[in-house]
Amino acid sequence: MILAFLICVGVAIGFLVMGIKIRKSDKPAGYYTFLKKPEVDSIKKYNNAISVLWYIASVFLIGNAVPLLFLEKDSPELVMVWIACLGWLIVSVSYTHLRAHETTLHL
């Protein structure tokens, strides 16, 4: 279970690095290379909004990973942790997508 925790922490650190990279960028943040990057009036505000989402995602990921340190391999609570992680993933991706559109429209 410690290996799973360390993997989650590694991914969370990656999210933090992405947030820092986006915050410092002078170009609008893009998600995929094959999509056109959004046209925004204030690149700084847009990138700050997107970087905050990366920071929040890393905190939630670590929060969902902490129980892995205390659960046994075949415990029923482990299923709940992974359901929480899956729910977090769906909500965060949906929110990020909607927030990016909202930020693009209002900047």
Side-chain angles (χ1 to χ4, degrees), residues 8 11-13 15-16 50-64 88-89 92-93 95-96:
C8 289
V11 171
I13 290 170
F15 286 0
L16 286 173
I50 298 301
S51 67
V52 166
L53 294 174
W54 282 102
Y55 301 150
I56 292 170
S58 68
V59 169
F60 277 118
L61 184 58
I62 290 174
N64 283 331
W88 163 83
L89 178 67
S92 64
V93 168
Y95 179 76
T96 303

Side-chain angles (χ1 to χ4, degrees), residues 10-31:
V11 171
I13 290 170
F15 286 0
L16 286 173
V17 169
M18 281 298 297
I20 292 168
K21 181 181 173 187
I22 289 171
R23 186 173 285 254
K24 292 182 177 183
S25 177
D26 57 348
K27 298 176 185 173
Y31 292 103

Side-chain angles (χ1 to χ4, degrees), residues 1-96:
M1 298 310 289
I2 291 179
L3 179 62
F5 173 77
L6 293 175
I7 290 170
C8 289
V9 169
V11 171
I13 290 170
F15 286 0
L16 286 173
V17 169
M18 281 298 297
I20 292 168
K21 181 181 173 187
I22 289 171
R23 186 173 285 254
K24 292 182 177 183
S25 177
D26 57 348
K27 298 176 185 173
Y31 292 103
Y32 306 103
T33 57
F34 58 87
L35 291 178
K36 181 182 171 189
K37 292 190 178 184
E39 295 178 18
V40 294
D41 294 333
S42 175
I43 293 172
K44 184 173 179 154
K45 282 184 180 179
Y46 176 78
N47 284 349
N48 284 342
I50 298 301
S51 67
V52 166
L53 294 174
W54 282 102
Y55 301 150
I56 292 170
S58 68
V59 169
F60 277 118
L61 184 58
I62 290 174
N64 283 331
V66 168
L68 295 174
L69 293 173
F70 306 105
L71 296 176
E72 303 221 1
K73 186 176 182 181
D74 295 328
S75 72
E77 291 87 7
L78 185 61
V79 174
M80 296 306 292
V81 169
W82 290 114
I83 289 173
C85 287
L86 182 61
W88 163 83
L89 178 67
I90 292 168
V91 169
S92 64
V93 168
S94 300
Y95 179 76
T96 303

